[in-house]
């Protein structure tokens, strides 16, 4: 029998892996308790956790979290569908690349949060401006990752499909798309992180609901432990969403060695 | 008289190199491959063997009507010409079964018949029990068997094989050569087989087409269909002869593994 190393143990392994986080938590608590930092700038972790438990009993907290999630999920989903379609089309049809390639390259490095005032101008203060911003921000990494994945499709796979009777559309659906999946899934991870950045920053600037809004309200009201609790909520949601995406990626790419 | 499966009349082909110049890969090639025959294309690396095969397959585009298959000019790939590549070119996201049924799906073979035929082919090539395996889970020899089964599934009249056993170890190669010979004898397909292995070419084929180094031309066509009691001795002497013929070409060609 092979010895079970600590890292591979299902529970202990997780504890070992995330032990730096426990250290960080301890350092946080200690620095605040010992007065190394101002209590307003960094309330002790225990105080923040108490505020968090207060939130968990408060239905309106779930409403705000739900609103943020809905906006992020809608914007991200639209960006995935359109980005994959656009990226694969750019790789498959010269005229699509000629039309959209320069636009995508131009906007890729631009900080999307700079568009927040514009999206508000176009779509108002409600959901639509946030969803549009998230969609726009995630569209570029999704388009580029799909484009790069599709462009790298091995030509002997396309030839094999042709000689087995595949039409051009068959080749795009049956060969180019699955061949792009590793790159698409990597792009999705980037886009997911971006969706979190964008929902928080757009709600921070102007909104009447959402976790970003809640951060601003608690901060403006001087309820710093509560503010930190909301930030922690965003961090945890981001972490869980990322883990979920990694699990999905493993499933989608299970054919890889 | 035997009918021509493939007739090539004064074919030349150039690649457009990235610096804008063109590379002449084939020069004035004429060749007739009779229906049901087994022909090897033999020559040093870079002499244009693959290029010639890809042109017959219709994967590379060429102007004019220098290549006829069954009396019809080649304009693109088709299921009448199956191809097997050195690097297998299986769809990595499909299982062995999924790969073998792909062509039949495109040919709209009814589902039940599709599965029947696929299972029989998978058994024939010795992969029974691996239907649900992904290519990444198979050895090189098993992958090539799966690729051959996938190509045979659409029952092409012509088999194009580009150094199909070049990536396999010597023992597996020997077994695969024997299997290919049996398949050819059982099905009566026309086989055009690219190799740079003199012994393999002589052992398998009825005719060996010796090509010169780039730009590829046909140097000599040698009859190697030996039968009867003295076959073994004559195979041996043919290998010696052809080895002498191609020694110069091989000697001047860039080294390859
Ligand atoms: N896509 C390509 N672009 C430019 N030159 C190529 C390309 N493919 C092959 N060649 C050149 O054409 C010649 C013939 O190649 P190939 O048919 O692959 O030779 P072989 O299969 O006999 O080794 C080689 O000199 C090679 O460098
Ligand atoms: Mg080659």
């Amino acid at each position: 029998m092979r010895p079970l190393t600590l890292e591979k143990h299902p529970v202990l392994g997780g504890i070992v892996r995330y032990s730096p986080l426990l250290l960080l938590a301890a350092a946080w608590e200690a620095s605040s308790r010992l007065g190394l930092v101002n209590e307003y700038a960094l309330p002790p972790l225990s105080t923040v956790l108490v505020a968090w438990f207060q939130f968990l009993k408060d239905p309106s907290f779930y409403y705000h979290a739900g609103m943020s999630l809905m906006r992020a999920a809608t914007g991200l989903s639209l960006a995935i569908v359109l980005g994959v379609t656009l990226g694969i089309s750019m790789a498959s049809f010269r005229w699509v690349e000629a039309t959209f390639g320069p636009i995508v390259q131009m906007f890729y490095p631009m900080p999307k949060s700079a568009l927040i005032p514009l999206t508000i101008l176009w779509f108002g203060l409600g959901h639509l401006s946030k969803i549009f911003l998230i969609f726009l921000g995630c569209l570029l990494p999704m388009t580029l990752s799909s484009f790069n994945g599709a462009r790298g499709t091995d030509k002997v796979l396309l030839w094999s499909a042709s000689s087995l009777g595949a039409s051009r559309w068959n080749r795009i659906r049956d060969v180019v798309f699955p061949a792009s999946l590793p790159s698409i899934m990597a792009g999705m991870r980037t886009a997911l992180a971006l969706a979190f950045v964008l929902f928080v920053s757009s709600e921070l600037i102007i909104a009447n609901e959402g976790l970003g809004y809640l951060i601003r309200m608690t901060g403006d009201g001087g309820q710093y432990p509560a503010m930190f609790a909301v930030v922690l909520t965003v961090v945890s949601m981001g972490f869980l969403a990322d883990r979920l995406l990694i699990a999905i990626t493993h499933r989608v790419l299970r054919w890889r060695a | 008289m035997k009918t021509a499966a493939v007739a090539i009349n004064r074919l030349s082909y150039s690649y457009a190199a990235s610096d804008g110049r063109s590379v002449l890969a084939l020069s004035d090639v004429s060749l007739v491959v009779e229906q049901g025959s087994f022909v090897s294309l033999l020559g040093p690396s870079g002499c244009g063997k693959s290029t010639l095969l890809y042109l017959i397959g219709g994967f590379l585009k060429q102007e004019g009507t220098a290549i006829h298959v069954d009396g019809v000019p080649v304009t693109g790939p088709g299921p009448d010409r199956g191809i097997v590549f050195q690097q297998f070119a299986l769809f990595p996201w499909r299982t062995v079964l999924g790969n073998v049924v792909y062509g039949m799906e495109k040919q709209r073979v009814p589902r039940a018949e599709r599965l029947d035929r696929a299972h029989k082919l998978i058994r024939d090539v010795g992969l029974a029990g691996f239907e649900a395996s992904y290519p990444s889970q198979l050895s090189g020899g098993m992958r090539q068997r799966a690729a051959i089964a996938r190509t045979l599934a659409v029952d092409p009249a012509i088999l194009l094989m580009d150094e199909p056993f070049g990536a396999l170890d010597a023992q597996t190669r020997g077994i695969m050569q024997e299997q290919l010979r049996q398949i050819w004898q059982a099905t009566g397909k026309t086989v055009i087989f690219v190799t740079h292995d003199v012994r393999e070419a002589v052992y398998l084929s009825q005719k060996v087409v010796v090509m010169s180094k780039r730009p590829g031309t046909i140097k000599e066509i040698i009859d190697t269909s030996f039968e009867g009691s003295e076959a073994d001795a004559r195979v041996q002497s043919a290998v010696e002869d052809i080895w002498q013929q191609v020694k110069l070409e091989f000697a001047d060609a860039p080294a390859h593994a």
Side-chain angles (χ1 to χ4, degrees):
Chain A
M1 225 187 89
R2 280 189 308 155
L4 189 64
T5 61
L6 204 51
E7 286 77 18
K8 290 198 182 114
H9 189 281
V11 177
L12 292 179
I15 293 177
V16 169
R17 171 143 181 69
Y18 291 109
S19 55
L21 283 181
L22 295 178
L23 279 179
L24 190 67
W28 176 355
E29 182 71 21
S31 56
S32 194
R33 287 277 173 225
L34 298 175
L36 297 179
V37 293
N38 188 320
E39 198 182 321
Y40 292 114
L42 189 68
L45 178 58
S46 50
T47 320
V48 172
L49 289 179
V50 170
W52 204 1
F53 284 120
Q54 295 300 314
F55 270 133
L56 293 180
K57 285 185 282 184
D58 178 359
S60 74
F61 179 70
Y62 295 96
Y63 168 75
H64 289 296
M67 280 302 145
S68 294
L69 264 187
M70 183 275 287
R71 288 163 175 168
T74 311
L76 181 59
S77 306
L78 288 173
I80 291 171
V81 172
L82 201 84
V84 169
T85 310
L86 186 59
I88 290 183
S89 305
M90 279 166 58
S92 307
F93 306 100
R94 201 172 296 256
W95 67 270
V96 183
E97 207 281 322
T99 313
F100 291 99
I103 302 177
V104 171
Q105 270 161 29
M106 169 101 189
F107 281 96
Y108 183 68
M110 169 180 180
K112 297 333 160 266
S113 46
L115 291 176
I116 293 175
L118 269 183
T119 60
I120 289 169
L121 195 64
W122 294 340
F123 296 105
L125 304 177
H127 298 315
L128 211 53
S129 60
K130 281 89 190 168
I131 292 174
F132 182 75
L133 182 78
I134 295 166
F135 161 73
L136 211 60
C138 297
L139 182 63
L140 293 171
M142 286 316 303
T143 305
L144 273 184
S145 64
S146 313
F147 174 64
N148 287 329
R151 220 173 28 166
T153 307
D154 195 345
K155 78 171 187 270
V156 295
L157 294 183
L158 293 166
W159 289 359
S160 296
S162 293
S163 77
L164 292 166
S167 65
R168 178 153 202 196
W169 160 242
N170 286 158
R171 289 199 298 276
I172 292 174
R173 190 194 54 192
D174 303 340
V175 182
V176 178
F177 173 67
S180 319
L181 273 176
S183 177
I184 289 174
M185 296 313 290
M188 221 180 273
R189 202 171 173 203
T190 310
L192 178 69
L194 205 54
F196 272 77
V197 170
L198 290 175
F199 90 67
V200 173
S201 47
S202 63
E203 290 174 350
L204 265 178
I205 290 178
I206 194 156
N208 293 318
E209 64 283 288
L211 292 174
Y213 161 82
L214 214 52
I215 292 175
R216 184 162 52 86
M217 292 310 285
T218 48
D220 288 354
Q223 305 161 264
Y224 297 119
M227 187 184 86
F228 271 86
V230 184
V231 172
L232 267 188
T233 308
V234 174
V235 170
S236 321
M237 278 169 41
F239 174 75
L240 288 178
D242 189 52
R243 289 284 116 183
L244 180 67
L245 184 65
I246 288 175
I248 293 172
T249 303
H250 275 298
R251 172 102 188 100
V252 169
L253 302 181
R254 66 187 177 284
W255 44 270
R256 291 215 294 191
Chain B
M1 203 189 92
K2 292 257 180 87
T3 46
V6 179
I8 299 168
N9 185 27
R10 312 208 58 181
L11 171 69
S12 297
Y13 185 83
S14 305
Y15 285 103
S18 46
D19 59 5
R21 287 180 308 153
S22 70
V23 179
L24 186 61
L26 289 176
S27 170
D28 200 20
V29 169
S30 297
L31 176 70
V32 172
V33 178
E34 285 167 358
Q35 203 144 44
S37 66
F38 195 126
V39 173
S40 284
L41 306 178
L42 180 74
S45 245
C47 75
K49 306 182 294 293
S50 297
T51 304
L52 180 53
L53 203 69
Y54 299 161
L55 284 163
I56 298 170
F59 307 118
L60 296 175
K61 300 271 169 273
Q62 37 100 35
E63 309 281 308
T65 57
I67 308 174
H68 285 75
V69 169
D70 280 331
V72 181
V74 168
T75 55
D80 56 330
R81 283 150 291 148
I83 181 129
V84 177
F85 295 99
Q86 179 174 4
Q87 292 307 330
F88 323 125
L90 290 165
F91 304 125
W93 47 84
R94 282 180 169 247
T95 61
V96 168
L97 182 65
N99 269 281
V100 176
V101 295
Y102 182 78
M104 294 188 279
E105 278 171 28
K106 298 303 117 181
Q107 314 280 315
R108 302 186 191 289
V109 175
R111 193 183 143 79
E113 189 188 335
R114 214 154 70 200
L115 290 175
D116 259 16
R117 252 159 76 182
H119 282 295
K120 181 179 181 313
L121 274 164
I122 290 170
R123 261 201 317 277
D124 287 352
V125 297
L127 283 179
F130 292 94
E131 290 82 356
S133 302
Y134 287 101
S136 62
Q137 300 166 322
L138 304 178
S139 70
M142 292 162 88
R143 287 182 207 185
Q144 197 54 292
R145 283 169 220 265
I148 290 172
R150 178 180 70 175
T151 303
L152 291 177
V154 294
D155 199 23
I158 301 171
L159 268 185
L160 307 172
M161 310 186 88
D162 191 6
E163 306 201 33
F165 309 143
L168 307 179
D169 61 85
Q171 194 184 336
T172 312
R173 192 184 313 147
I175 297 169
M176 297 293 292
Q177 285 167 352
E178 194 47 53
Q179 278 196 349
L180 175 60
R181 211 178 149 99
Q182 282 164 11
I183 290 169
W184 171 63
Q185 278 163 354
T187 59
K189 291 185 188 306
T190 308
V191 181
I192 305 179
F193 186 97
V194 166
T195 181
H196 61 246
D197 181 332
V198 178
R199 190 172 291 280
E200 181 175 66
V202 175
Y203 170 69
L204 286 172
S205 36
Q206 298 177 304
K207 265 187 196 168
V208 175
V209 177
V210 181
M211 293 177 67
S212 70
K213 62 175 190 282
R214 193 167 67 89
T217 53
I218 291 180
K219 213 180 150 191
E220 185 139 22
I221 299 177
I222 298 161
D223 199 321
T224 51
S225 56
F226 309 117
E227 270 158 45
S229 55
E230 284 171 52
D232 280 356
R234 292 177 61 191
V235 164
Q236 197 52 46
S237 79
V239 170
E240 304 280 322
D241 281 357
I242 294 175
W243 183 242
Q244 293 304 323
Q245 302 278 355
V246 298
K247 216 171 189 172
L248 275 171
E249 302 294 337
F250 274 79
D252 294 354
H256 57 78

